[in-house]
DNA sequence: TTGTAGGCGTTATCAG
DNA sequence: CTGATAACGCCTACAA
């Protein structure tokens, strides 16, 4: 059902129908009524594709996320979608995975779709390859990165201060008498690298001579469980652990319990993200709230402002805070 | 950068450029090379909007979900997105919330966007209003509902047999000596109504005379905690609880522990969904695996087949199974 | 092998 | 107040 079909049946021209559809003034009430009746009768809805072609806008924004199943990415995607839906935009969401190649491919896809703006969720998008893809394919599309930034005229960043956040976690553990700290990491995203940097710097600053211990694992409960066991066997002196994300802390915490450690007296540990995992686990996990939710809300607002032609800060940082629970 | 810009610079017509862009045969190698060079130089990417207009397809599918932050919906959305991205489709995702009005509005939006197909995730879409909206706005668009169904020519359903699933949960509790069962429900979706029906039927079948107890709460840890306390105070004889979703079981389980009940000896309980909550909680929760992941995968495959012009079963059911853990 | 013309469904600009 | 007409960017006969 097109505007022409309606026009023919109403005995008017397409332009008149268009005027009615768009609520423009200057249509005779009687013709207007006649047309509206037909519109309703056929449940006419304008073809946004055609509209977009002539209006040079499609009210679509792209959302890139490594994997929406990660809780904080889920929240981010939700926040962004909700914010834009309210404004009549729709979000096309892609799970890029962690591979560089896929990320750049999806950037290309977004450019073909001519999205008006994009949000990339996660520091994993703060890479050279993404930067180049943006330069090539979307040099003029406003892009906001959640917890990341690229030095490009059309890219904006809202960041968490995870480096100092982790420093404060170290301080917390230290203040409770824990001196032999370890860090368990899941992957080397820019965000996690900052966390490790914050960890190592603060440990050094506090004057602990012992070399810092950093272990790797994949992002699973089981992986965290195993690597924690391994850590405690190889470094029995460790009495405080910072996990790069809550999920690891949950899995690792179980290992500590199974090994018979008293938590938090003998070994204390923390997660990062202050996600539902921290709240759900037993014992409930002390976690660094890096405000990822606020970050996404801010990102959405930034992009909305940019699309509205407003000026926006290129780069902001949101301060994190510790939520203490039962593991410290 | 349009096909015309390229054509002008190459000294050819737009159609020739179009042929090269679409890899059609019958272009002289030298002109082809010349054009390809320009294409690369300007990082030309075809405007999908314009393409969609003439090809009468935009390779977009709509995904409706009440709230993507619910874990199984997240998984569903992920599965669907991944399946379609592989085929060059993009997914526009909307969080509809639970209000009827919003659901029908988003159906209208999808129709304006002229999506080629849609997936609705959750039994909450199995309502009269959604049905009418589909009839009005998308009577010819293939739609697959995950865990729901509507009797419409263009609607397909992949369902979980939660009714018999819950019956088997009742049987499990019964077989372990629990006779006084209660059901704690979060909201009255078609899916949950089936669960309650399965619960009540099976209790009756097993010859328990005592009236069945069904309590309500909102979908939060805290709500489940409170309502479980209330339940045990008002019905101290209860020794088995089925929670409509794992999240409730997690919150309720903590209440039972706090009240000093031995789990599962004194009181046993189960969740439904076999989600990460069941695995995370302490004790780990026995849960009904209603195969929501398979459901989404199947839904995606169905829709892919439909878009490819294939025939697909209108309605299938996937059998659920119990995953026993520490609470039974 | 290449170009021309028409059309996809809308909107915008002019005339009338 | 209304109707042609030309665009938007692309694709596809058909003609050359």
């Amino acid at each position: 059902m097109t505007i022409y079909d309606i026009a023919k049946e109403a005995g008017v021209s397409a332009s008149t129908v268009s005027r009615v559809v768009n609520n423009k003034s200057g249509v005779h009430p009687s013709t207007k009524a006649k047309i509206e009746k037909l519109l309703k009768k056929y449940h006419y809805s304008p073809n946004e594709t055609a509209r977009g072609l002539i209006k040079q806008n499609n009210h679509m924004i792209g959302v890139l996320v490594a994997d929406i199943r990660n809780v904080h990415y889920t929240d981010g995607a939700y926040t962004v979608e909700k914010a834009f839906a309210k404004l009549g935009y729709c979000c096309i969401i892609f799970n890029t995975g962690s591979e560089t190649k896929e990320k750049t491919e999806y950037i290309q896809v977004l450019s073909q779709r001519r999205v008006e703006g994009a949000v990339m969720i996660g520091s994993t998008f703060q890479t050279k390859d993404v930067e180049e893809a943006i330069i090539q394919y979307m040099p003029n599309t406003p892009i906001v990165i959640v917890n990341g930034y690229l030095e490009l005229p059309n890219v904006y960043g809202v960041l968490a201060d995870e480096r100092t956040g982790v420093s404060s976690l170290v301080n917390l553990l230290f203040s409770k008498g824990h001196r032999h700290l370890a860090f368990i990491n899941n992957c080397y995203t820019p965000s996690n690298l900052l966390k490790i940097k914050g960890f190592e710097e603060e440990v050094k600053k506090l004057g602990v001579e012992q070399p810092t211990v950093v272990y790797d694992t994949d992002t699973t409960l089981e992986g965290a469980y195993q690597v924690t066991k391994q850590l405690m066997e190889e470094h029995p002196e460790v009495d405080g652990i910072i996990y790069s994300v809550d999920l690891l802390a949950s899995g690792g915490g179980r290992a500590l319990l199974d090994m018979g450690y008293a938590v938090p007296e003998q070994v204390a540990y923390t997660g990062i993200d202050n996600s539902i995992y921290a709240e759900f686990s037993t014992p409930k996990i002390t976690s660094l709230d890096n405000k990822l939710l606020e970050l996404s809300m801010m990102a959405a607002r930034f992009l909305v402002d940019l699309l509205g032609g407003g000026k926006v800060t290129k780069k902001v940082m949101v301060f994190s805070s510790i939520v203490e629970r039962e593991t410290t």
Side-chain angles (χ1 to χ4, degrees), chain A:
Chain A
M1 183 58 46
T2 79
I3 218 172
Y4 271 92
D5 302 320
I6 302 283
K8 192 189 290 176
E9 185 156 341
V12 298
S13 78
S15 348
T16 304
V17 177
S18 174
R19 279 188 268 263
V20 173
V21 170
N22 295 287
N23 248 317
K24 304 244 167 159
S25 58
V27 181
H28 194 91
S30 71
T31 48
K32 182 171 179 179
K34 185 168 56 178
I35 290 169
E36 273 173 344
K37 213 169 119 188
L38 289 171
L39 256 25
K40 196 155 280 176
K41 175 179 169 192
Y42 292 114
H43 301 116
Y44 169 82
S45 74
N47 184 325
E48 289 297 331
T49 307
R51 256 190 187 169
L53 191 57
I54 185 127
K55 295 275 248 356
Q56 300 284 54
N57 68 41
N58 51 19
H59 281 215
M60 297 203 311
I61 77 139
V63 177
L64 257 35
V65 52
D67 189 327
I68 201 176
R69 292 172 300 179
N70 284 185
V71 268
H72 42 274
Y73 294 157
T74 313
D75 285 350
Y78 175 87
T79 307
V80 172
E81 188 280 302
K82 271 302 193 192
F84 279 96
K86 209 181 301 176
L87 300 170
Y89 280 77
C90 76
C91 293
I92 68 185
I93 298 182
F94 284 111
N95 294 282
T96 64
S98 48
E99 300 294 323
T100 292
K101 187 162 157 274
E102 292 206 270
K103 287 196 201 115
T104 55
E105 276 175 11
Y106 283 118
I107 288 171
Q108 208 175 338
V109 171
L110 291 185
S111 96
Q112 290 191 215
R113 296 279 177 180
R114 302 293 193 270
V115 294
E116 294 182 31
V119 178
M120 300 182 185
I121 306 178
S123 73
T124 178
F125 291 97
Q126 181 182 317
T127 71
K128 201 72 202 151
D129 299 277
V130 168
E131 182 170 359
E132 274 164 21
I134 292 176
I135 292 173
Q136 288 191 13
Y137 298 109
M138 314 183 76
N140 302 308
T141 310
I143 296 172
V144 182
I145 304 181
V146 177
N147 207 17
Y149 182 68
L150 292 170
E151 197 64 67
L152 251 35
N154 59 320
V155 174
Y156 299 74
V158 286
L159 299 138
D161 68 333
E162 299 177 309
R163 185 164 163 181
T164 48
V166 171
S167 295
S168 62
L169 285 178
V170 170
N171 266 302
L172 173 70
L173 291 170
F174 199 85
S175 75
K176 303 224 170 177
H178 303 272
R179 292 292 179 273
H180 301 276
L181 307 186
F183 190 96
I184 294 186
N185 187 46
N186 59 330
C187 54
Y188 288 89
T189 58
S191 156
N192 279 353
L193 288 171
L194 280 181
K195 293 175 193 169
I196 293 174
K197 192 169 274 178
F199 171 70
E200 292 178 336
E201 281 178 354
E202 195 65 15
V203 165
K204 193 177 291 172
K205 196 195 288 177
L206 289 174
V208 183
E209 309 90 26
Q210 162 247 347
T212 53
V213 183
V214 177
Y215 272 60
D216 294 341
T217 178
D218 51 351
T219 317
T220 62
L221 287 177
E222 186 55 25
Y225 186 96
Q226 296 301 344
V227 81
T228 300
K229 272 203 153 166
Q230 189 192 335
L231 165 71
M232 297 311 290
E233 277 157 13
E234 295 175 3
H235 294 273
E237 75 281 9
V238 164
D239 60 359
I241 307 175
I242 296 175
Y243 292 88
S244 59
V245 293
D246 287 337
L247 182 122
L248 295 188
S250 183
R254 201 163 290 168
L256 293 173
L257 289 183
D258 287 359
M259 293 175 90
Y261 288 105
V263 173
E265 296 76 16
Q266 274 182 284
V267 183
Y269 62 93
T270 79
I272 296 178
D273 278 350
N274 193 31
S275 65
I276 195 160
Y277 299 127
E279 180 70 27
F280 258 71
S281 299
T282 311
K284 296 184 181 175
I285 303 165
T286 294
S287 186
L288 183 70
D289 183 357
N290 47 14
K291 317 276 179 178
L292 285 168
L293 201 56
E294 273 104 303
L295 251 46
S296 328
M297 298 195 323
M298 199 172 269
R301 198 159 42 221
F302 271 31
L303 191 50
V304 167
D305 288 350
L306 286 166
L307 293 177
K311 277 271 177 200
V312 160
T313 318
K314 281 286 282 177
K315 195 177 171 184
V316 297
M317 182 161 278
V318 175
F319 292 99
S320 47
S321 60
I322 295 174
V323 177
E324 263 204 270
R325 295 199 181 85
E326 300 164 0
T327 62
T328 53

